[in-house]
Amino acid sequence: MQDIFDKAKEVQTAIDAESPANSEALEAFRIQYLGAKGLLKSLMAEMGKVPNERKRDYGQLMNSLKQAAEAKYQSLKEAFEEKEQSAGALAIDLSAPGEPVPLGARHPVAVTMNRIIDIFARMGFSVADGPEIEDDWHNFTAMNTPEDHPARDMQDTFYLVDAPGMLLRTHTSPVQARVMKSRKPPIRIIAPGRVYRNETISTRSHCQFHQVEGLYVDEGVSFADLKQTLYYFAQEMFGATKIRLRPSFFPFTEPSAEMDIWLGTDTEKDYRLTKGTGWLEILGCGMVDPDVLEMCGIDSKKYSGFAFGMGIERQALRLYEIGDIRLLFENDVRFLKQFRSAM
Ligand code: DAH
């Protein structure tokens, strides 16, 4: 009988003496004493052999054994977990390769715009900027399109309800007026940017697109300068190609022309893009109307100038052989990431 009590006491001494050094040793401790086949369970199983009058003592001894073992297990478990956590925070492998940063891609319209800027920069043009929310005077009046002028109908836009006289610019031409009013000739600028039109011809048409404006004002600027400048641009942008200038009308230039580049109709894309003519219209241009110069404070007897304005989207379609202009606006990443290597 005494044996059982002695055995239990031995276990108690053993538990007190145990000091597992890590979580594996602690787990072994748990299995040895507290597990389903552990020492405490087998000591409990001895209860039947204890005489009735000593059962109470034995039960108490068992309880205190169990409590001691559980307390030791719990406190060591917490201590080890805390230690592992703080070790984990420091366990950074500084030599491991970094997480890859996903690289974005420039939009083909932006790439095309940058190419245009680059070509004109080589001819001494610098970039000028103007607001997209423009006033009526810069957008229309200074561009020789007074109120009630029929040309206004060609460029309907969005007007700001809370700011009478303010509108979303319909073209980049108002930047011409802003630059001429604030600088003296020689002036040689290009002005890229967003423009807006209220065109609800179809649900697919877009009310927003991009243009690049050009302006050159100095003494003795002629139509020959205009033609050569644009010819150089077309060569640089599209490779060796023919250009043609067709007489046209713009209120702010006189004479005015539209420039086409020759693509031919050999490929289906070129056929579609040129509507079967082989010619792709890319810009409007002309000699700055003397009235415009005067309205912007430049002496039209001393100075002359040329101007041009081109849409960017169509050039992007041509440069990247994109078959459908809607792709440019849908922002489908699978489409856009194809231009990752472009400048
Ligand atoms: N602003 C015209 C448009 O949006 C394009 C244009 C034509 C601009 C002739 C010019 C120019 O500077 O001289 O249709």
Side-chain angles (χ1 to χ4, degrees):
M1 174 62 273
Q2 196 51 39
D3 287 358
I4 303 170
F5 276 84
D6 287 347
K7 222 165 125 193
K9 291 255 167 60
E10 264 169 38
V11 171
Q12 187 165 38
T13 322
I15 288 174
D16 289 344
E18 288 275 7
S19 62
N22 52 41
S23 44
E24 284 94 62
L26 181 64
E27 183 58 10
F29 169 88
R30 188 189 67 79
I31 292 167
Q32 190 183 356
Y33 296 98
L34 296 162
K37 291 177 185 163
L39 277 172
L40 294 186
K41 272 268 154 59
S42 65
L43 283 175
M44 277 302 277
E46 305 281 315
M47 184 66 106
K49 295 185 192 156
V50 180
N52 280 344
E53 71 277 9
R54 298 216 60 192
K55 272 195 172 30
R56 192 185 151 94
D57 288 346
Y58 192 71
Q60 277 174 354
L61 183 58
M62 284 298 107
N63 260 342
S64 75
L65 270 184
K66 197 168 169 231
Q67 275 168 15
E70 276 175 353
K72 182 163 244 169
Y73 175 74
Q74 270 310 327
S75 75
L76 282 174
K77 189 176 168 223
E78 277 162 31
F80 289 150
E81 275 173 1
E82 219 166 88
K83 211 165 140 191
E84 272 160 28
Q85 259 176 18
S86 58
L90 289 172
I92 300 168
D93 181 357
L94 293 173
S95 66
E99 293 280 318
V101 180
L103 270 189
R106 262 192 225 289
H107 195 282
V109 168
V111 179
T112 308
M113 195 140 117
N114 286 344
R115 280 182 70 146
I116 297 170
I117 292 171
D118 197 50
I119 294 167
F120 282 101
R122 275 183 256 146
M123 289 188 276
F125 285 75
S126 58
V127 173
D129 203 10
E132 286 172 29
I133 299 175
E134 191 46 284
D135 58 53
D136 189 285
W137 190 84
H138 284 94
N139 194 78
F140 290 122
T141 311
M143 291 296 109
N144 232 3
T145 316
E147 258 175 80
D148 305 325
H149 191 290
R152 281 210 181 191
D153 292 343
M154 288 157 50
Q155 297 192 357
D156 189 18
T157 184
F158 300 94
Y159 292 83
L160 273 71
V161 177
D162 295 334
M166 300 300 284
L167 45 86
L168 298 186
R169 66 179 181 188
T170 57
H171 49 178
T172 41
S173 300
V175 184
Q176 288 188 35
R178 291 188 173 273
V179 170
M180 285 192 279
K181 278 191 351 179
S182 62
R183 293 189 210 168
K184 295 212 171 344
I187 290 169
R188 204 159 19 173
I189 57 102
I190 46 168
R194 251 182 231 119
V195 301
Y196 304 84
R197 302 264 169 105
N198 185 4
E199 284 169 356
T200 38
I201 301 161
S202 86
T203 48
R204 281 184 185 154
S205 58
H206 293 279
C207 299
Q208 181 222 303
F209 55 102
H210 297 79
Q211 286 189 337
V212 175
E213 192 79 11
L215 175 71
Y216 181 24
V217 181
D218 202 351
E219 290 181 44
V221 175
S222 73
F223 200 90
D225 297 321
L226 168 62
K227 190 173 173 188
Q228 185 55 38
T229 304
L230 294 179
Y231 181 61
Y232 175 79
F233 165 71
Q235 298 296 310
E236 291 294 296
M237 191 74 178
F238 298 101
T241 182
K242 284 191 285 186
I243 63 164
R244 76 175 181 189
L245 289 166
R246 280 178 293 107
S248 185
F249 171 78
F250 297 102
F252 37 91
T253 43
E254 183 60 34
S256 305
E258 275 167 294
M259 186 176 95
D260 304 335
I261 57 167
W262 175 249
L263 302 184
T265 52
D266 290 349
T267 70
E268 197 199 322
K269 273 179 186 145
D270 284 347
Y271 188 91
R272 287 230 304 253
L273 202 54
T274 64
K275 301 195 176 83
T277 66
W279 291 102
L280 181 69
E281 183 214 314
I282 59 164
L283 58 83
C285 60
M287 299 305 293
V288 182
D289 193 306
D291 288 347
V292 172
L293 292 175
E294 293 292 339
M295 253 186 293
C296 297
I298 288 178
D299 182 356
S300 65
K301 289 189 196 63
K302 188 168 175 204
Y303 296 106
S304 59
F306 68 70
F308 55 87
M310 57 179 96
I312 298 178
E313 276 79 0
R314 238 190 279 174
Q315 299 190 51
L317 296 189
R318 167 61 194 158
L319 273 184
Y320 294 110
E321 306 197 347
I322 298 165
D324 188 334
I325 195 164
R326 279 169 290 168
L327 288 166
L328 294 177
F329 300 104
E330 283 166 355
N331 283 338
D332 184 331
V333 174
R334 287 166 304 176
F335 168 74
L336 293 174
K337 72 180 178 195
Q338 298 173 43
F339 302 92
R340 182 162 291 161
S341 59
M343 73 179 218

mmCIF file of all heavy atoms in Angstrom, residues 63-105:
data_model
loop_
_atom_site.group_PDB
_atom_site.id
_atom_site.type_symbol
_atom_site.label_atom_id
_atom_site.label_comp_id
_atom_site.label_asym_id
_atom_site.label_seq_id
_atom_site.Cartn_x
_atom_site.Cartn_y
_atom_site.Cartn_z
ATOM 1 N N ASN A 63 -4.496 15.326 -7.096
ATOM 2 C CA ASN A 63 -4.860 16.676 -7.524
ATOM 3 C C ASN A 63 -3.679 17.627 -7.533
ATOM 4 O O ASN A 63 -3.463 18.375 -8.493
ATOM 5 C CB ASN A 63 -5.937 17.242 -6.595
ATOM 6 C CG ASN A 63 -7.301 17.123 -7.240
ATOM 7 O OD1 ASN A 63 -7.383 16.935 -8.462
ATOM 8 N ND2 ASN A 63 -8.353 17.213 -6.447
ATOM 9 N N SER A 64 -2.922 17.589 -6.432
ATOM 10 C CA SER A 64 -1.813 18.553 -6.369
ATOM 11 C C SER A 64 -0.732 18.207 -7.390
ATOM 12 O O SER A 64 -0.107 19.083 -7.966
ATOM 13 C CB SER A 64 -1.240 18.648 -4.947
ATOM 14 O OG SER A 64 -0.466 17.509 -4.655
ATOM 15 N N LEU A 65 -0.575 16.886 -7.682
ATOM 16 C CA LEU A 65 0.386 16.487 -8.729
ATOM 17 C C LEU A 65 -0.029 17.044 -10.088
ATOM 18 O O LEU A 65 0.750 17.605 -10.829
ATOM 19 C CB LEU A 65 0.414 14.960 -8.836
ATOM 20 C CG LEU A 65 1.400 14.226 -7.972
ATOM 21 C CD1 LEU A 65 1.351 12.727 -8.294
ATOM 22 C CD2 LEU A 65 2.814 14.748 -8.240
ATOM 23 N N LYS A 66 -1.327 16.850 -10.356
ATOM 24 C CA LYS A 66 -1.838 17.262 -11.652
ATOM 25 C C LYS A 66 -1.702 18.782 -11.810
ATOM 26 O O LYS A 66 -1.263 19.300 -12.842
ATOM 27 C CB LYS A 66 -3.309 16.852 -11.759
ATOM 28 C CG LYS A 66 -3.808 16.857 -13.170
ATOM 29 C CD LYS A 66 -5.173 16.166 -13.273
ATOM 30 C CE LYS A 66 -5.768 16.420 -14.639
ATOM 31 N NZ LYS A 66 -7.129 16.910 -14.566
ATOM 32 N N GLN A 67 -2.081 19.496 -10.741
ATOM 33 C CA GLN A 67 -1.983 20.955 -10.804
ATOM 34 C C GLN A 67 -0.559 21.412 -11.014
ATOM 35 O O GLN A 67 -0.274 22.311 -11.825
ATOM 36 C CB GLN A 67 -2.541 21.571 -9.529
ATOM 37 C CG GLN A 67 -4.050 21.747 -9.607
ATOM 38 C CD GLN A 67 -4.661 22.088 -8.243
ATOM 39 O OE1 GLN A 67 -3.932 22.455 -7.300
ATOM 40 N NE2 GLN A 67 -5.966 21.952 -8.140
ATOM 41 N N ALA A 68 0.382 20.776 -10.289
ATOM 42 C CA ALA A 68 1.791 21.179 -10.424
ATOM 43 C C ALA A 68 2.272 20.953 -11.854
ATOM 44 O O ALA A 68 2.920 21.823 -12.461
ATOM 45 C CB ALA A 68 2.660 20.402 -9.450
ATOM 46 N N ALA A 69 1.917 19.775 -12.412
ATOM 47 C CA ALA A 69 2.372 19.463 -13.766
ATOM 48 C C ALA A 69 1.759 20.425 -14.781
ATOM 49 O O ALA A 69 2.436 20.942 -15.679
ATOM 50 C CB ALA A 69 2.023 18.025 -14.133
ATOM 51 N N GLU A 70 0.440 20.705 -14.619
ATOM 52 C CA GLU A 70 -0.227 21.592 -15.572
ATOM 53 C C GLU A 70 0.298 23.018 -15.477
ATOM 54 O O GLU A 70 0.506 23.699 -16.499
ATOM 55 C CB GLU A 70 -1.741 21.562 -15.373
ATOM 56 C CG GLU A 70 -2.346 20.387 -16.124
ATOM 57 C CD GLU A 70 -3.838 20.218 -15.877
ATOM 58 O OE1 GLU A 70 -4.395 20.929 -15.013
ATOM 59 O OE2 GLU A 70 -4.421 19.361 -16.556
ATOM 60 N N ALA A 71 0.521 23.477 -14.243
ATOM 61 C CA ALA A 71 1.034 24.845 -14.068
ATOM 62 C C ALA A 71 2.401 24.994 -14.715
ATOM 63 O O ALA A 71 2.688 25.971 -15.424
ATOM 64 C CB ALA A 71 1.110 25.191 -12.584
ATOM 65 N N LYS A 72 3.241 23.995 -14.501
ATOM 66 C CA LYS A 72 4.583 24.054 -15.086
ATOM 67 C C LYS A 72 4.477 24.065 -16.611
ATOM 68 O O LYS A 72 5.125 24.870 -17.297
ATOM 69 C CB LYS A 72 5.404 22.842 -14.624
ATOM 70 C CG LYS A 72 6.816 22.828 -15.135
ATOM 71 C CD LYS A 72 7.683 21.879 -14.344
ATOM 72 C CE LYS A 72 8.776 22.643 -13.632
ATOM 73 N NZ LYS A 72 9.516 21.920 -12.658
ATOM 74 N N TYR A 73 3.584 23.161 -17.107
ATOM 75 C CA TYR A 73 3.430 23.079 -18.560
ATOM 76 C C TYR A 73 2.952 24.411 -19.127
ATOM 77 O O TYR A 73 3.544 24.946 -20.068
ATOM 78 C CB TYR A 73 2.445 21.964 -18.923
ATOM 79 C CG TYR A 73 2.132 21.897 -20.390
ATOM 80 C CD1 TYR A 73 3.077 21.395 -21.284
ATOM 81 C CD2 TYR A 73 0.925 22.361 -20.890
ATOM 82 C CE1 TYR A 73 2.813 21.352 -22.633
ATOM 83 C CE2 TYR A 73 0.655 22.329 -22.241
ATOM 84 C CZ TYR A 73 1.594 21.831 -23.114
ATOM 85 O OH TYR A 73 1.345 21.799 -24.454
ATOM 86 N N GLN A 74 1.899 25.002 -18.533
ATOM 87 C CA GLN A 74 1.332 26.246 -19.069
ATOM 88 C C GLN A 74 2.343 27.382 -19.083
ATOM 89 O O GLN A 74 2.498 28.083 -20.079
ATOM 90 C CB GLN A 74 0.109 26.678 -18.239
ATOM 91 C CG GLN A 74 -1.229 26.125 -18.736
ATOM 92 C CD GLN A 74 -1.460 26.340 -20.232
ATOM 93 O OE1 GLN A 74 -1.016 27.326 -20.784
ATOM 94 N NE2 GLN A 74 -2.112 25.410 -20.904
ATOM 95 N N SER A 75 3.034 27.568 -17.924
ATOM 96 C CA SER A 75 3.911 28.740 -17.853
ATOM 97 C C SER A 75 5.093 28.595 -18.817
ATOM 98 O O SER A 75 5.473 29.553 -19.483
ATOM 99 C CB SER A 75 4.374 28.995 -16.416
ATOM 100 O OG SER A 75 5.362 28.043 -16.079
ATOM 101 N N LEU A 76 5.619 27.376 -18.944
ATOM 102 C CA LEU A 76 6.736 27.201 -19.895
ATOM 103 C C LEU A 76 6.262 27.372 -21.342
ATOM 104 O O LEU A 76 6.946 27.941 -22.173
ATOM 105 C CB LEU A 76 7.367 25.826 -19.713
ATOM 106 C CG LEU A 76 8.305 25.716 -18.504
ATOM 107 C CD1 LEU A 76 8.762 24.267 -18.322
ATOM 108 C CD2 LEU A 76 9.513 26.647 -18.654
ATOM 109 N N LYS A 77 5.040 26.889 -21.607
ATOM 110 C CA LYS A 77 4.511 26.990 -22.967
ATOM 111 C C LYS A 77 4.437 28.460 -23.389
ATOM 112 O O LYS A 77 4.869 28.855 -24.469
ATOM 113 C CB LYS A 77 3.116 26.354 -23.013
ATOM 114 C CG LYS A 77 2.574 26.219 -24.405
ATOM 115 C CD LYS A 77 1.237 25.482 -24.382
ATOM 116 C CE LYS A 77 0.587 25.615 -25.737
ATOM 117 N NZ LYS A 77 -0.800 25.898 -25.704
ATOM 118 N N GLU A 78 3.858 29.268 -22.492
ATOM 119 C CA GLU A 78 3.753 30.695 -22.812
ATOM 120 C C GLU A 78 5.121 31.320 -23.004
ATOM 121 O O GLU A 78 5.345 32.110 -23.923
ATOM 122 C CB GLU A 78 2.976 31.424 -21.711
ATOM 123 C CG GLU A 78 1.475 31.289 -21.922
ATOM 124 C CD GLU A 78 0.676 31.612 -20.659
ATOM 125 O OE1 GLU A 78 1.148 32.452 -19.860
ATOM 126 O OE2 GLU A 78 -0.414 31.017 -20.492
ATOM 127 N N ALA A 79 6.037 30.986 -22.136
ATOM 128 C CA ALA A 79 7.377 31.572 -22.228
ATOM 129 C C ALA A 79 8.029 31.215 -23.574
ATOM 130 O O ALA A 79 8.612 32.073 -24.243
ATOM 131 C CB ALA A 79 8.244 31.084 -21.076
ATOM 132 N N PHE A 80 7.888 29.944 -23.954
ATOM 133 C CA PHE A 80 8.513 29.530 -25.237
ATOM 134 C C PHE A 80 7.864 30.228 -26.433
ATOM 135 O O PHE A 80 8.539 30.636 -27.370
ATOM 136 C CB PHE A 80 8.417 28.010 -25.410
ATOM 137 C CG PHE A 80 9.315 27.246 -24.480
ATOM 138 C CD1 PHE A 80 8.976 25.970 -24.040
ATOM 139 C CD2 PHE A 80 10.508 27.813 -24.023
ATOM 140 C CE1 PHE A 80 9.805 25.267 -23.180
ATOM 141 C CE2 PHE A 80 11.342 27.114 -23.149
ATOM 142 C CZ PHE A 80 10.982 25.831 -22.721
ATOM 143 N N GLU A 81 6.543 30.353 -26.378
ATOM 144 C CA GLU A 81 5.853 30.997 -27.503
ATOM 145 C C GLU A 81 6.299 32.441 -27.675
ATOM 146 O O GLU A 81 6.554 32.909 -28.788
ATOM 147 C CB GLU A 81 4.331 30.943 -27.292
ATOM 148 C CG GLU A 81 3.749 29.623 -27.785
ATOM 149 C CD GLU A 81 2.263 29.471 -27.443
ATOM 150 O OE1 GLU A 81 1.692 30.414 -26.839
ATOM 151 O OE2 GLU A 81 1.724 28.413 -27.782
ATOM 152 N N GLU A 82 6.394 33.121 -26.539
ATOM 153 C CA GLU A 82 6.823 34.519 -26.589
ATOM 154 C C GLU A 82 8.221 34.631 -27.190
ATOM 155 O O GLU A 82 8.488 35.457 -28.049
ATOM 156 C CB GLU A 82 6.847 35.069 -25.163
ATOM 157 C CG GLU A 82 6.345 36.491 -25.057
ATOM 158 C CD GLU A 82 6.084 36.833 -23.601
ATOM 159 O OE1 GLU A 82 7.043 37.279 -22.965
ATOM 160 O OE2 GLU A 82 4.945 36.599 -23.132
ATOM 161 N N LYS A 83 9.071 33.723 -26.745
ATOM 162 C CA LYS A 83 10.450 33.731 -27.225
ATOM 163 C C LYS A 83 10.497 33.479 -28.738
ATOM 164 O O LYS A 83 11.204 34.164 -29.475
ATOM 165 C CB LYS A 83 11.233 32.619 -26.506
ATOM 166 C CG LYS A 83 12.689 32.937 -26.296
ATOM 167 C CD LYS A 83 13.248 31.967 -25.292
ATOM 168 C CE LYS A 83 14.638 31.521 -25.659
ATOM 169 N NZ LYS A 83 15.079 30.389 -24.835
ATOM 170 N N GLU A 84 9.696 32.532 -29.199
ATOM 171 C CA GLU A 84 9.693 32.215 -30.614
ATOM 172 C C GLU A 84 9.172 33.375 -31.458
ATOM 173 O O GLU A 84 9.677 33.656 -32.546
ATOM 174 C CB GLU A 84 8.852 30.962 -30.895
ATOM 175 C CG GLU A 84 9.682 29.695 -30.775
ATOM 176 C CD GLU A 84 8.827 28.461 -30.552
ATOM 177 O OE1 GLU A 84 7.663 28.470 -31.005
ATOM 178 O OE2 GLU A 84 9.331 27.513 -29.922
ATOM 179 N N GLN A 85 8.159 34.043 -30.906
ATOM 180 C CA GLN A 85 7.610 35.170 -31.653
ATOM 181 C C GLN A 85 8.625 36.277 -31.843
ATOM 182 O O GLN A 85 8.813 36.794 -32.930
ATOM 183 C CB GLN A 85 6.387 35.727 -30.939
ATOM 184 C CG GLN A 85 5.101 35.239 -31.597
ATOM 185 C CD GLN A 85 3.887 35.719 -30.832
ATOM 186 O OE1 GLN A 85 3.973 36.653 -30.049
ATOM 187 N NE2 GLN A 85 2.781 35.062 -31.080
ATOM 188 N N SER A 86 9.305 36.632 -30.746
ATOM 189 C CA SER A 86 10.253 37.746 -30.888
ATOM 190 C C SER A 86 11.454 37.320 -31.719
ATOM 191 O O SER A 86 12.028 38.120 -32.448
ATOM 192 C CB SER A 86 10.671 38.296 -29.522
ATOM 193 O OG SER A 86 11.234 37.253 -28.776
ATOM 194 N N ALA A 87 11.792 36.041 -31.683
ATOM 195 C CA ALA A 87 12.880 35.570 -32.540
ATOM 196 C C ALA A 87 12.441 35.637 -33.997
ATOM 197 O O ALA A 87 13.186 36.028 -34.881
ATOM 198 C CB ALA A 87 13.256 34.139 -32.178
ATOM 199 N N GLY A 88 11.171 35.288 -34.262
ATOM 200 C CA GLY A 88 10.629 35.319 -35.616
ATOM 201 C C GLY A 88 10.683 36.708 -36.206
ATOM 202 O O GLY A 88 10.990 36.895 -37.370
ATOM 203 N N ALA A 89 10.397 37.728 -35.392
ATOM 204 C CA ALA A 89 10.396 39.103 -35.884
ATOM 205 C C ALA A 89 11.773 39.509 -36.380
ATOM 206 O O ALA A 89 11.914 40.316 -37.279
ATOM 207 C CB ALA A 89 9.936 40.035 -34.784
ATOM 208 N N LEU A 90 12.786 38.940 -35.769
ATOM 209 C CA LEU A 90 14.143 39.309 -36.168
ATOM 210 C C LEU A 90 14.701 38.389 -37.243
ATOM 211 O O LEU A 90 15.716 38.692 -37.845
ATOM 212 C CB LEU A 90 15.069 39.254 -34.944
ATOM 213 C CG LEU A 90 14.843 40.369 -33.922
ATOM 214 C CD1 LEU A 90 15.675 40.098 -32.676
ATOM 215 C CD2 LEU A 90 15.205 41.713 -34.515
ATOM 216 N N ALA A 91 13.989 37.283 -37.458
ATOM 217 C CA ALA A 91 14.546 36.305 -38.391
ATOM 218 C C ALA A 91 14.297 36.723 -39.832
ATOM 219 O O ALA A 91 13.501 36.144 -40.538
ATOM 220 C CB ALA A 91 13.947 34.927 -38.115
ATOM 221 N N ILE A 92 14.940 37.818 -40.271
ATOM 222 C CA ILE A 92 14.813 38.265 -41.653
ATOM 223 C C ILE A 92 16.088 37.866 -42.377
ATOM 224 O O ILE A 92 17.180 38.162 -41.909
ATOM 225 C CB ILE A 92 14.675 39.798 -41.724
ATOM 226 C CG1 ILE A 92 13.433 40.245 -40.968
ATOM 227 C CG2 ILE A 92 14.615 40.258 -43.174
ATOM 228 C CD1 ILE A 92 13.378 41.727 -40.735
ATOM 229 N N ASP A 93 15.916 37.200 -43.486
ATOM 230 C CA ASP A 93 17.091 36.827 -44.273
ATOM 231 C C ASP A 93 17.438 37.975 -45.203
ATOM 232 O O ASP A 93 16.800 38.186 -46.233
ATOM 233 C CB ASP A 93 16.773 35.559 -45.070
ATOM 234 C CG ASP A 93 17.981 35.117 -45.889
ATOM 235 O OD1 ASP A 93 19.008 35.836 -45.857
ATOM 236 O OD2 ASP A 93 17.881 34.070 -46.553
ATOM 237 N N LEU A 94 18.450 38.737 -44.794
ATOM 238 C CA LEU A 94 18.794 39.941 -45.553
ATOM 239 C C LEU A 94 19.376 39.632 -46.930
ATOM 240 O O LEU A 94 19.440 40.493 -47.789
ATOM 241 C CB LEU A 94 19.769 40.812 -44.765
ATOM 242 C CG LEU A 94 19.176 41.436 -43.493
ATOM 243 C CD1 LEU A 94 20.258 42.130 -42.703
ATOM 244 C CD2 LEU A 94 18.049 42.398 -43.834
ATOM 245 N N SER A 95 19.785 38.379 -47.111
ATOM 246 C CA SER A 95 20.378 38.040 -48.407
ATOM 247 C C SER A 95 19.333 37.499 -49.385
ATOM 248 O O SER A 95 19.621 37.270 -50.546
ATOM 249 C CB SER A 95 21.484 37.004 -48.218
ATOM 250 O OG SER A 95 20.894 35.809 -47.762
ATOM 251 N N ALA A 96 18.079 37.327 -48.893
ATOM 252 C CA ALA A 96 17.047 36.787 -49.791
ATOM 253 C C ALA A 96 16.698 37.816 -50.859
ATOM 254 O O ALA A 96 16.728 39.019 -50.608
ATOM 255 C CB ALA A 96 15.802 36.445 -48.978
ATOM 256 N N PRO A 97 16.374 37.351 -52.078
ATOM 257 C CA PRO A 97 15.991 38.311 -53.125
ATOM 258 C C PRO A 97 14.689 39.006 -52.747
ATOM 259 O O PRO A 97 13.834 38.419 -52.100
ATOM 260 C CB PRO A 97 15.793 37.437 -54.368
ATOM 261 C CG PRO A 97 15.651 36.053 -53.862
ATOM 262 C CD PRO A 97 16.336 35.966 -52.535
ATOM 263 N N GLY A 98 14.540 40.273 -53.130
ATOM 264 C CA GLY A 98 13.377 41.054 -52.745
ATOM 265 C C GLY A 98 12.116 40.611 -53.447
ATOM 266 O O GLY A 98 12.158 39.856 -54.408
ATOM 267 N N GLU A 99 10.998 41.067 -52.904
ATOM 268 C CA GLU A 99 9.719 40.842 -53.575
ATOM 269 C C GLU A 99 9.731 41.622 -54.886
ATOM 270 O O GLU A 99 10.069 42.800 -54.877
ATOM 271 C CB GLU A 99 8.575 41.399 -52.710
ATOM 272 C CG GLU A 99 8.352 40.672 -51.425
ATOM 273 C CD GLU A 99 7.546 39.403 -51.640
ATOM 274 O OE1 GLU A 99 6.582 39.452 -52.401
ATOM 275 O OE2 GLU A 99 7.935 38.373 -51.057
ATOM 276 N N PRO A 100 9.337 41.020 -55.995
ATOM 277 C CA PRO A 100 9.341 41.803 -57.241
ATOM 278 C C PRO A 100 8.288 42.915 -57.195
ATOM 279 O O PRO A 100 7.167 42.691 -56.745
ATOM 280 C CB PRO A 100 8.980 40.769 -58.317
ATOM 281 C CG PRO A 100 8.397 39.622 -57.587
ATOM 282 C CD PRO A 100 8.898 39.647 -56.188
ATOM 283 N N VAL A 101 8.677 44.121 -57.589
ATOM 284 C CA VAL A 101 7.732 45.240 -57.646
ATOM 285 C C VAL A 101 7.099 45.216 -59.032
ATOM 286 O O VAL A 101 7.801 45.300 -60.027
ATOM 287 C CB VAL A 101 8.460 46.589 -57.457
ATOM 288 C CG1 VAL A 101 7.466 47.736 -57.517
ATOM 289 C CG2 VAL A 101 9.227 46.591 -56.145
ATOM 290 N N PRO A 102 5.779 45.063 -59.113
ATOM 291 C CA PRO A 102 5.186 45.004 -60.458
ATOM 292 C C PRO A 102 5.370 46.341 -61.181
ATOM 293 O O PRO A 102 5.007 47.390 -60.654
ATOM 294 C CB PRO A 102 3.707 44.729 -60.183
ATOM 295 C CG PRO A 102 3.489 45.008 -58.745
ATOM 296 C CD PRO A 102 4.805 44.973 -58.043
ATOM 297 N N LEU A 103 5.974 46.263 -62.357
ATOM 298 C CA LEU A 103 6.238 47.485 -63.113
ATOM 299 C C LEU A 103 5.024 47.824 -63.967
ATOM 300 O O LEU A 103 4.492 46.977 -64.660
ATOM 301 C CB LEU A 103 7.425 47.256 -64.048
ATOM 302 C CG LEU A 103 8.810 47.570 -63.506
ATOM 303 C CD1 LEU A 103 9.819 47.507 -64.621
ATOM 304 C CD2 LEU A 103 8.849 48.935 -62.837
ATOM 305 N N GLY A 104 4.601 49.044 -63.913
ATOM 306 C CA GLY A 104 3.522 49.474 -64.777
ATOM 307 C C GLY A 104 4.033 49.673 -66.191
ATOM 308 O O GLY A 104 5.213 49.511 -66.465
ATOM 309 N N ALA A 105 3.143 49.998 -67.094
ATOM 310 C CA ALA A 105 3.538 50.275 -68.464
ATOM 311 C C ALA A 105 2.931 51.605 -68.866
ATOM 312 O O ALA A 105 1.863 51.963 -68.414
ATOM 313 C CB ALA A 105 3.025 49.176 -69.390
#
